Structures are given as structure tokens and as C-alpha cells.
Amino acid sequence: MTALLLILVPLIGGLVTFFVKQESQVKLWSFVVSLVTLVAMSVNLLMHDEAGRSFTAEWLPMLGSSFALQMDGASTLLCFLTALCYPIIFASTWKSSYASPNSFYGLMLLAQAGITGVFLAADGLLFYFFWELALIPVYFLCSKWGGEKRIAVTFKFFIYTFIGSLLMLVGLLYMYYQTADASFSMQSLYAVKLSAEQQSWLFWLFFIAFAVKMPVFPFHTWQPDTYEQSPTAVTMVLSALMVKMGLFAVIRWLLPLFPDAAVQYDNVVIGLSVIGMIYASVLAMQQDDIKRLIAYSSIAHIGLMAAALFVNNESGLQGAMIQLFSHGVNVLGMWIVIELIERRFGTRKMSELGGLAQKAPGLTILLVIVALANVALPLTNAFIGEFLMFNGLFKFNVWYAAVGGLSIILSAIYTLRMIQKVFYGNENTLTATGEDINWFEKASLAVIVVAIFVMGVYPKPVFELTTDTVTLILGVFK
Amino acid sequence: MNLILISAIWGIVMMFSGLFLKSKSSAKTVALIGSIALLIGNFFDLSGKMIIDSNFNGMLQYERFGLLFLTVLILALIMYILLSGKEVEAVGNHPFEYFALIFFVMSGAGLVALFNNLLILFIGIEIISIPLYILTGSDKRNLKSNEAALKYFLMGSFSTGIMLMGIAFLYGATGSFQLEQLMMQPQEDYKVFMLIGIVMIMVALAFKVSAAPFHFWTPDVYDGAPTVFTSFMATIVKAAVFIGFLNLFANAFGNKTGNWQMTVAIITALTLFIGNITAVYQQSVKRMLAYSSIAQAGFMMFSVFAINDMAKQGLLLYAAAYCFATIGIFAVLVKMKDYTFDGFNGLAKKQPLVALVLTVCLLSLAGIPLTAGFFAKYFVLAAAVKTGTYLWLVIFAVVMAAVSVYYYFRIIQAMYFKEGEGQEMAITTPFKALLLTVAAVVILLGVYPSLLLNWLTFF
């Protein structure tokens, strides 16, 4: 039942939000709705309620598609991430105010329903349905509440992802006709035997859809602009959760469906990812706008995960799994800090900031922890993930690991430079007016810091959770 | 048979009631009564109770699919009359006659949906076409409307000629007008005649559904005709001709795969390409919708191309999804003074409900999930994939669908994200309720298409 609740609660909650009038009530209501999903998810995890993690109902019997939801390790992890991030997002942006707040928060919750649906769907058509459904609210969110160039930028994002999705739909249809029982269910699709030639072009139909979402070089061009132009709350959803849809889709659909093609093209995918890592890191170093900096650094981190998914060994896959969660948490932390800075000082430009540490020591400490996690310092969660992933990459091919490893150094350069420019040095007229963050904002950052350390020191529960997914994928390849 | 008879009779009733009823606004009411009579008559058709139970020596066949398709058309007609009835009165002084012509078109649609003989197809197509020539020119004082009517008439007659010639060739090859006779392989010497016949009929029908490269009349005619009739032509009429198209190819040439399928594939690809790409460059929403109707025809062509159970369901769903969404958009468009994209600026602030309904309709036309348009596209594409050949065509089509997002979303962007005053529109509460119904139907079919498709198996 939990599986169904995770979709239904934000869906119904979101629809209700549209009819709430007052801004404070809207905020409180959506925060409560997001808390309910978190509680449901946590209870499920603590109780080890396996039965609650799947759900099936009749939907379109004539098409061989059913409303089937199922949580395996990876999707449990990501459902938890979604449920965890949403209350944090709502709490940390509590002070921001949006025109027509009811539509804003309503759409945010609908996006949550869509994203969670993607992580849960165990039916090809249902998966496609949610995949698109997650996109629509985000389109409206960015276009309506974003920055100056929002309309054009969001539109580009929409078209990119829509083309990708449609190509996937064609592939999915083709797969459907190959199934033995004319069904879209995940098991039937997994069971399809495809020739090498079929696999090789179906692989690309699916991969492009996922690559745009992740995004992997060269399908990434929509990403920095969209992140920059979106309201920060939406950027949080995009980077912490939506990009995970692409990675998750690779784990759940691409690799099990086309294992031979995945081996055939692993060099292409990993090559592109590594190029993207370096390329994005270099660009990140040149940014003055912190939001764009994080956007580019995110491409680099995602690139590593994309590469690790294709290395076909346990440590790479396991690292990618844990990093799915870690990256979500860390990047969310970074956005919160940026949101706080922007709301206080009205700018995101490093050149206009400086000396914040004296005015806002609390914020500084929390930011530095998050930033160091972003650089993957030992003891933090990202270290575990990145170490495993590089280990996996190293086993696959030393050169990829060596070149990709440069991105760690570059990451340290731009992150530390950012900390230095924004928080240290001399105050200027703008930053002299600043004050420290309130307890509410501290609390939301504190949750993230706790998550960073807990996972950095004791990642075992996550490993245990995702073992089944890793075994499944490695099993397919053998 | 009920539908054909009732709509023909009701057309005459409408003409006479124009003599006796002086108030222009009563035309809408009479038309509504007639269309409900059609619905009831068609329901009896479906359950096998007909006024005249004859198939005229096999010239008609009462297939469930055709009858169900007609139900969709009648429902769309009712929605059309409810939403746009008032605007018909505004066109000129003869609203009763306009509605009469619309009922004659419906009678033709009945013939086209149920024909089993090429002559009936021909007569049906002509009964559909001739009233349309008149409706196009019904705004007598408007030069554009006159020009459009003349253009439409000349080109339409030309295509009629080609169709007749095609039928003659087929008759020459097989010695019959009956569809089941056409199914048989002609003697070796006559195979060429057969092929020429098929291609000629294909060309003529492609003209009628405005498939490329025979689409040139469409934008001018749609633009020139009074908007309220454009709405009718672009939806109900187009769907009606498609059912004839599909029936002909499914029941007469279905077993002769090969050459004609390639031709249909090329027509489909061309239609999709020209319709979508040209629509991108339009400045007037009305012209954009004309080109978009070409683009949508491209998707409907897939059902003719694939010809299987999936294709039939797909066309049924497509007709419903497309007709309802387009009628909804046109109903709002007619109320506006400014037909450009900028005219929609800021509409969401002024008319939030209208904007919401338009958004749902546009999303449906673009084929976004949760709307009927998604499953409509899904079915026709799935039908094509099922044939196992021409996968490039399907991929091409989805890329074109992505292009279509550009021009449909321009309206959404204008309504929601652009600053503007929003136009004054005379929108009443019942009108809003009807619009909401349209949106509800579009979403309902988008979440649960079985609602409509189950009818194919029940009854």
C-alpha cells in the first residue's frame, strides 16, 4: 500500500492545493502533505514492510498494461530520497514568496507524484506515462516563476526531453510486440529475447531519452540555462530528483533490457560521460554566477554516475547506487545555501559577494560541510560513492579513471574558490547588511549535514538495500 | 440507415423551419433537436433496429466500427452545435440553411462510413463536399470567403473527376463496384488498371483529407471560410472522410500489400512534414490550426497505412480526441477579435477557466499523456509498429510530433507567461460549463481510453 500512497498523497494533496486561498495556508498544507509521504516511506523502511512495496491494479487490459508499482532496492532508495527532499525543499524556501502560491505549490506536489511514479512503475506504459507527467508541472513551474529568459529556456528543455521521450515510446512499442504475452509488464519485457541488431538500435532509442534527462554530454545543453532560470525551489527538484529519473531508468530499464548492446556501446557511453565530466568542470571554473557553477558541477557528477553504471562490475554499480542518494542530498544542500544567499543579498554573483563568514557564521559552517561533501572528502557520503565508482571505472579501463579523476581536482578548485570568494575575504557594502540564518533554515540544512555524515560513516544500510538491484544487473550481464 | 435518413430528412426540416420560425436563435435549438434525433437513431442502428432494414443489394454494410465511428461524429456535432451554434447565426441571414447543409453533410458521412460499393462512396463524398463549398462562401460580403469557396469548388471538382476515373479503372479491372469483388485478384492483364485505379482514388481521398501534396487548398479555404465553419470542416468532416478512406483500403485493398502501402507511407511522411513545418511559421492562430489539421491528418493516415485492429481503434480514438479538442479551441477562437498569437497574451489572468480548457485541448493535440491525444497517437503509432515494417516512418512521426509542440505551446505560453490585457469576450456561464465538459472528456479519454474502445466489443 505504501507504494500507492507515495503517489496518491502528493497527487491529491497537489490538486487540493490549487483551491487553497491564503499563502500561509498553502505553504503549511503542502509541507504537511510532503511530511505525510515522508512518514509513510519511513514507516515502510523501518517496518521492513516488503508487501507494501508493490501494488497492482487493472488499468488498460486491452493494451496489456496494468497499474503495477514495485519497489526494488534502487527505487526504494530514490522514493525515500524524494520523500525526504520535498519537506526540506518546502522548509528551506518557506520565506520565498511566489505569485499565485496555490498554483506553485500545487504544481510542485504534482511533480512529486510524477517523479515518484517513475521510480515505482513496473509497467512499461505506466513508466512512460509518469515520465511525461513529471515533466508537465515542471514546465509550467519554470516558465511561470522563473527568471527573465525563462520562456525560451524552459521551452528548449521541454522540447529536448519530449523528443527523447517519444523516441523511447517507439522503442517501447517495438518491445511490446516482441513480448510473449502482449504485455507491458516489466517481467514480460525483461523476458524478451532480442537479436544483437535489434538491441543495438533499441538501445539508442531508450538511451537518448535517458541521456537528455541525466544529462550526459552532448545532450546537456538545456541544463545550465534551465537551472539558472528556474526558481530555486524548482531547481532543487530538477537537480536533486529529476536527473535521478534518467539514471534510475538506465538501471531499471536500459541495462536489463539490452545487456548486449550495453556491453557493445559501453565505451561510447563512458567516453561521452568522461568528456562531459572534464568539459563541465572546466566550464564550472569560469562561472561567476553560483547557480550556474553548481549546475555545471552537477553535470560532472552525473557524468561519473552515468559512466559507473556501464562499467559492469559490482563496485561501480554499488557506488552509483549510493551516489544517487548522496548527490541528491548534497546538491540540495548547495541549492539551499544559494537560495539563502540570493534572498538575503539579491545576487548570486561571486564578484559581488564576500566576507559572509563574519556576518553569518552558522550558514558558513553548514555550507562548508556541504561543499566539502560535494568535493567528496572522506567521512562524507559522496566519498563512499565516488571512491567505489572510480574503483569500478579503474577496473574497466585505467585511462577513463585517470582522465575522469581529473574532475575531482577540478571540483576541489572551483568549490573551494567559491567558498573563498563568497564567505571569506573582506565585506563589501552589500554583504555588510547580512545576518545569520534563522533556526528554521538551519534545521533544514542540519538534516542534510546529518545525512552527509551518517552515510559517510556508516553506508552499510544503503548497500544492503541496493544489493538486489546490483545483483540483478550483474546477473543479466552474465 | 437511420442516421442517413434522419439527417437527410432533418436537413429538409431545417430548411422549412426557416420559413416559419422568424427568430434566428431558434435555428440552434432545432439543430440540436435534430442532432439528438441522430444520436438516438444511430443508437438503434447499433442495436440493429432500423427504419428501413435494407442494405440495397449489398451496397451498404452495417459494421459496428462504422456505426460507432458515426456515434463519435454525432457527439462531436452536438458539442459543435452547443459551443458554436450562436456563431453560426452571426455569419449571415440564413442560419437555418447553414444548419440544413450541415445535416446534409452528416448524411453523406453516414454513407461514407457504411459504404460497401464504390458508387456509394462516391455519392457520399460528393454529398459531403457540395454543402461545404456553399458553407465556405456563406459570408457573402467577404471577398476572401468568396475566393475560398471558388477555389475549393474548382479544386474539389477536379479531385472528384480523378476519383471517378479511378473508380472506372477499378471497374475495368474487376468488373464490379462491390468491395468484396475488388478484393479478388484481377487477371494478369488488368493488374495495371487496378493499380492505377487505386492510386487515383488515393489521390482524390488524400485531397479531401488534405494530405500532402494535395493539401494546398486547405489553409486558404480554412482561412477564408467563416471560422465557425472552418471548425466544422477541420474536425467532423475530416474525420468522416477518413473513415471512408480506411474502410476502402481495409475492405478492398487490404490483401494487396506492397505498392500502395509505399505510396501511403510517402504521403504520410510528406503530410507530417509539410503540415508541421509550415505551421511553425504561421502568425495567425486560425492558419496555424489549418496547418495543424494537415499535420493531424498525417497521423490519421497511419491508420490507413497500417490497417489492423489497432488502426481501427486508433482512428476511432483519434477522431474523438481530435474533434473534441479542436472544436473546443475554435469555439474560443471565434469569440476573439484578434486571431494572432499575441491576441492570446495574458488570457489566463482574465479568463482562467477558458485558458485552462484551451491548455488541455492544446496538450491533447500535441499528444501529451493524461490527455486523449496521447492515446490517439499511441494507438495509430502502435498500429504502424505492429506491421513490423517502415519503422523509420514512426520515428519520423514522433520527431514531427515534437515539432508540433512548438506551435501548440506558443498559445499556452502566450496565455500564461506573457503580459497582456487579454481580450474582452462575451463568455457566458453555460458556455464555460460546456468548455469544461470538453476538457473533462479529453482528460477522461486520456486516463482511461477503454471507456470508448470497450464499445467496440460490447453492444
Side-chain angles (χ1 to χ4, degrees), chain A residues 300-341:
Chain A
H301 288 123
I302 296 286
L304 178 58
M305 285 189 247
L309 288 177
F310 284 84
V311 296
N312 191 15
N313 57 45
E314 193 181 345
S315 92
L317 281 169
Q318 194 61 266
M321 298 286 166
I322 193 166
Q323 191 66 2
L324 279 176
F325 191 88
S326 305
H327 177 262
V329 172
N330 296 350
V331 85
L332 182 59
M334 294 302 289
W335 293 126
I336 293 176
V337 174
I338 291 169
E339 162 80 4
L340 296 179
I341 292 175

Side-chain angles (χ1 to χ4, degrees), chain A residues 59 136 143 150 163 177 184 201, chain B residues 368 378 382 391 402 417 447-448:
Chain A
W59 182 37
I136 308 290
S143 293
R150 62 189 194 278
I163 291 183
Y177 285 118
F184 275 106
W201 60 263
Chain B
I368 309 272
Y378 171 85
L391 218 64
F417 314 133
V447 180
Y448 201 66

